[in-house]
Amino acid sequence: MESIITPTSAHPHVPGRVIAVLAPHPDDEVFGCGGTLAALAHAKIPAHVAILTDGQKWQDSTVCRRQESRCAARILGYGEPEFWGLADGELLSVPELAQRILHWLRKLQADTVLAPSLWEMHRDHRACAQAAAQAVVLADRAVRLLFYEVGVPLAPNLLVDITPWQAPKARAMACFASQIARQPLHRQIQGLNRYRTYSLPRHVRAAEAFCLMDPAVLPRLLQEASAHTVHLLRAEASAAQRDAAISDLSQTLTQRDAAISDLSQTLTQREAQLHQLLHSRSWKLTRPLRALAAVLRGERSLASLLTALGRHAFHAAPVPQPWKTKAKVAAQNLRENVLKRLHSPANAALAQAQVDACRALWRQGGWEGLLTPQAPAHWPHLDISLVTYHSSRWLPGFFQSLLAQDYPLDRIHLLVVDNGSTDATWELLEEFAATSGRRLAGVHLRRSANQGFGCGHNQAMAQGSAPWVLIVNPDVEFHPQSLTTVVAHALADTSETAAWELRQMPYEHPKHYHPVTWETTWNSHAAVLVRRAAVHCVGGYSPRIFLYGEDVELSLRLRASGFTLRYCPPATITHHAYAAPGEVKPAQFLGSVTANALLRLRY
């Protein structure tokens, strides 16, 4: 059974009258079949060795490697090898290599060829085997092809007993000192030769393995080997590209690390310079001038500057620390007492009323309808009240967002009062009415003297008759579902609710509202939907308030008449009123403080 798988007897040498040995590199002929070459020399059978490459892949001297092969040939007793001098590692790219081998075989009249196997790991070994097989297929007479093993063990069908030549082969392998210095090839080959005696009689102590190829099998084997070689070449090319990419990436990372190091050094130097500057006497002396310049540029408020100066003067004052502490405590107590007096005693009653309203709404089951109202089958007519004053910069965005609404445009009436603008506001209003007015249910424009925000909206609302009025500023841009959302919530609400304020973005208007019922004490009228009947019931805006506070005053009168006010967070708009959160505008601040004082006196 074993003889089917591997030979159980060894031959004294390979068959043939003239033997041709192909070695890809100087040393393959000895490592692969050095013992067989010695046996052939002893039997007086001519053996010719051709070494195909110069063996300079690892920058070894060509003269040195050729001398090593000549030295080994003298020890084993065969003639001097032929050196073809092809490039090491490039045999797959050599054109007509098979034809050259065929010409060499015909010249020698060789009937047996020894070559590395097609299954070797080295590309030159595989290229040599393919070229030898092609030459044998093309030969005009019968030529035996035997593959020998070097880097990859074979499944042999012929073993040669090299026991008598074991010592000469060892001395011949020792000639290749340049290769043994990198890898102990001589010991590995000796182990392979000893292993080949596994199925042989005990007196055989070393053997070389060969695979005698069937000529009928060679064409198919060559086709498979060529395809496999193509795959290997592609894989090698991909590996080369990957290595190049890795090299480029490594170089880029090195450059980046160097740049980061330089930047870190620069930042350290800048931080040291900044630290020196901030702690310099000149920087401390010019601090008031810089603060004043920030106020003049609008980057800082005068109030914050005065507060900072007062705090600095307080800490720098030559007063004992215990006195300073007592002064701070007294100031805090005074502030708390003032704040307590500013809070109305009605706040607690209002909070309790909101809780009671929340409970009542929950018991009535109206909570779900308030949160998620259903869209009506037919949307009602809607008046949009707009008062403009030097608003040309905001009107293009306002008009564009209005025309992009989900709400049916043919049910929207735009009612505009311009308070005597001297910029391009009126021209933009007329242009919109002429070009896009037909898309709406109507556009009504009116020009008058500047009588303030509230009077302007009273005049605008007088031009319409829809049951719902959206009071809005010109520096607002609607979101696509702003109107449908707020109107749907209004339609689902009770008849006692008079107003629904839209949520402003990106800076939400500071406001207290009940988190469950959304009820609030007053509405900001930058964007608010009101019930016309409710506003008409209380007489509209007060004409005595010119600007700021008129929305709070109207909210108070609506609540005094029994109406409810709500905040509507799902309905959102973009309001371009503030450049930054917490921004304080002088005119707005003074107007709000004045209106607050008047409202407290009246109500």
Side-chain angles (χ1 to χ4, degrees), residues 277-288:
L277 174 65
L278 294 179
H279 290 79
S280 65
R281 179 176 298 179
S282 61
W283 185 262
K284 294 179 180 179
L285 292 176
T286 58
R287 181 178 297 169

Side-chain angles (χ1 to χ4, degrees), residues 115-119 129 133 145-149 154 209-211 213 221:
S117 76
L118 285 168
W119 304 280
L145 175 61
L146 284 85
F147 288 143
Y148 60 82
E149 58 187 4
L154 288 169
F210 298 89
C211 187
M213 303 305 300
L221 193 61

